[in-house]
Amino acid sequence: MIKHLALFLLSVAVAVTLSYAQPSTALPDFLPDALHAASTLYIDHVDAAEDPCLINEGCLTGNGTRMLLRFASKVHNIGNADAYLGKPPANRTDPNNPIYWHWDSCHEHWHFTAYANYKLLSGDLSNEILRGHKNGFCLEDLGCNDESKEPYYNCRNQGVSMGCYDMYDETLPCQWIDVTDLHLTPGYTAQTEYVLQVAINEAGFFPEGNIANNVAHIKVVIGDVPPYTGPSLAEVRRMGAPDGPEGGDGPRGGGGGVDGAGGAGEAMGASSAGARMGARRLRKRKQFYRKAV
């Protein structure tokens, strides 16, 4: 009897301990992928006149030819619940629209204003050297860690499923920091070490189970960053037109692969999952210049 009572009390104690060790509420948990960002660093040059909206939005900090540090932002939801944003507002003038939705009158579509912030810091993280500007325009499941899981969220019903990730690849407009004036900052050389900081959900619009992992740091030496060979700004704009092309080369050139259109991905020997990923990335690239209806 005493033995059974002791076992019962032990099982109760274990159950109580486990219940306190686990969060009482299911929540998403964003994790920016530093390794992916580091593998997608490129230097590009863009003429600001190609799209004046990019100055209005703060993506470019001046006129003329701008030098850009491009990179991809891949963000995993490693939590135990979906990060749900929902549909963009139907009425752009409704005063009751959530404050994190912002209507971009220049590109004529909605932005989710609190998605990500990009900064270039000194190598010891003590000083902010330059700041990027990122407004999310489509929070979606670009892929899932389990390839058998079908992505659920898209630009019409936005969010990131648990176990999946969103990605703004380096081909997208504004997916950069304008480093044109970096050479004017104290201590600059082509071999100076900087740190690219990618911070997700800084404003806390999404409740998360853990906010300690929302910032990624990537070391950058400008002189060592390779040149960008992906689609130009004009090509991305054409993709967003109603009759824009359905195909295209990957951001590293050479055509297709995981970064190109679905059919091209398969033609290059990519897996069917890779081809689907390529199609989703292309769709998101086209979405930037799509006007809301």
Side-chain angles (χ1 to χ4, degrees):
M1 177 68 179
I2 294 176
K3 181 178 179 181
H4 288 303
L5 179 60
L7 288 174
F8 172 74
L9 292 175
L10 177 61
S11 65
V12 170
V14 170
V16 170
T17 300
L18 289 176
S19 68
Y20 279 102
Q22 297 175 351
S24 58
T25 304
L27 291 170
D29 181 8
F30 288 127
L31 178 68
D33 193 325
L35 290 177
H36 189 76
S39 70
T40 55
L41 290 169
Y42 295 95
I43 291 293
D44 192 17
H45 295 84
V46 166
D47 185 350
E50 291 185 50
D51 184 356
C53 292
L54 297 178
I55 293 180
N56 295 341
E57 294 182 11
C59 299
L60 299 178
T61 57
N63 292 301
T65 299
R66 312 303 297 176
M67 179 175 168
L68 310 175
L69 177 65
R70 285 184 180 261
F71 53 92
S73 177
K74 184 178 183 180
V75 180
H76 302 264
N77 178 3
I78 62 171
N80 56 4
D82 293 356
Y84 179 67
L85 184 60
K87 297 180 179 180
N91 181 356
R92 69 192 68 164
T93 61
D94 188 343
N96 296 317
N97 287 335
I99 60 173
Y100 45 77
W101 284 112
H102 166 69
W103 176 255
D104 173 20
S105 59
C106 197
H107 282 143
E108 297 185 45
H109 59 204
W110 287 101
H111 282 183
F112 172 56
T113 60
Y115 177 66
N117 289 306
Y118 306 142
K119 297 177 182 178
L120 193 67
L121 307 177
S122 58
D124 61 1
L125 307 182
S126 63
N127 294 307
E128 178 182 319
I129 309 299
L130 296 172
R131 178 175 293 208
H133 179 78
K134 182 60 184 175
N135 279 330
F137 62 91
C138 174
L139 195 66
E140 63 177 338
D141 292 336
L142 251 289
C144 300
N145 298 324
D146 179 356
E147 290 187 353
S148 65
K149 182 176 181 178
E150 283 296 318
Y152 176 75
Y153 294 104
N154 54 44
C155 295
R156 294 178 298 278
N157 182 37
Q158 298 190 27
V160 183
S161 301
M162 60 178 178
C164 297
Y165 55 85
D166 186 23
M167 182 165 62
Y168 286 73
D169 72 36
E170 68 276 16
T171 69
L172 289 167
C174 298
Q175 193 56 45
W176 59 55
I177 290 181
D178 186 337
V179 295
T180 308
D181 299 325
L182 182 60
H183 69 286
L184 302 176
T185 60
Y188 169 81
T189 73
Q191 293 302 310
T192 300
E193 185 176 280
Y194 298 96
V195 173
L196 170 64
Q197 176 176 287
V198 177
I200 304 300
N201 193 33
E202 276 192 316
F205 284 119
F206 280 106
E208 291 188 67
N210 178 19
I211 61 172
N213 58 359
N214 284 23
V215 177
H217 289 129
I218 302 98
K219 291 183 179 180
V220 179
V221 176
I222 296 297
D224 294 341
V225 178
Y228 173 74
T229 59
S232 68
L233 209 58
E235 289 171 327
V236 174
R237 186 185 296 110
R238 285 198 297 271
M239 291 176 190
D243 57 349
E246 293 297 329
D249 291 341
R252 290 167 185 78
V258 173
D259 296 321
E266 292 180 320
M268 295 292 289
S271 66
S272 58
R276 290 195 301 271
M277 167 62 72
R280 288 193 292 269
R281 290 180 67 177
L282 177 61
R283 183 189 66 210
K284 191 159 192 166
R285 199 179 301 163
K286 294 171 65 175
Q287 191 72 25
F288 184 88
Y289 282 109
R290 282 279 165 87
K291 298 183 186 301
V293 294

